Amino acid sequence: LEYLRLEGFFVTNGIGLHVYLTKAGDIDSGYDLGKLKANKGDQNYQITAINTDEYNIVVVYSKIFDLYYASAKLQWRNKFMDNILSLGK
């Protein structure tokens, strides 16, 4: 897989939001994909070097406030993971 794709994405805006690939939603064992690019709209995160078989839930998390903003089960496809986060509408 090359990208984590968020389509039709929306989450409540917050400070210090990051996108994580996690095992059962656990941030501590998760992989930080970096800062959330925007709180709405389609976006891609490169995951080429990541063993995606280890992860089953994507999480939007604020490090600053230690607060989970959204999470969803991953839906794997050929080169993209689509339509995953639409929580927070």
Side-chain angles (χ1 to χ4, degrees):
L1 296 174
E2 295 180 20
Y3 295 95
L4 165 69
R5 178 158 179 82
L6 309 180
E7 281 189 357
F9 177 76
F10 176 84
V11 68
T12 302
N13 207 4
I15 298 172
L17 298 183
H18 281 239
V19 177
Y20 286 83
L21 292 179
T22 70
K23 301 170 189 175
D26 180 18
I27 294 298
D28 295 328
S29 65
Y31 190 96
D32 185 354
L33 298 176
K35 291 182 181 180
L36 182 68
K37 295 177 182 178
N39 74 312
K40 60 184 173 182
D42 299 345
Q43 48 199 283
N44 294 327
Y45 295 86
Q46 189 166 3
I47 58 171
T48 307
I50 301 169
N51 179 3
T52 55
D53 293 336
E54 296 181 18
Y55 305 104
N56 63 349
I57 295 178
V58 63
V59 171
V60 176
Y61 175 78
S62 170
K63 291 181 171 186
I64 294 169
F65 294 112
D66 189 26
L67 183 65
Y68 288 76
Y69 273 70
S71 66
K73 285 189 173 186
L74 293 170
Q75 299 173 3
W76 299 105
R77 295 190 183 174
N78 293 334
K79 289 188 176 184
F80 295 96
M81 294 182 296
D82 293 339
N83 303 320
I84 14 186
L85 287 174
S86 58
L87 303 176
K89 285 186 177 180

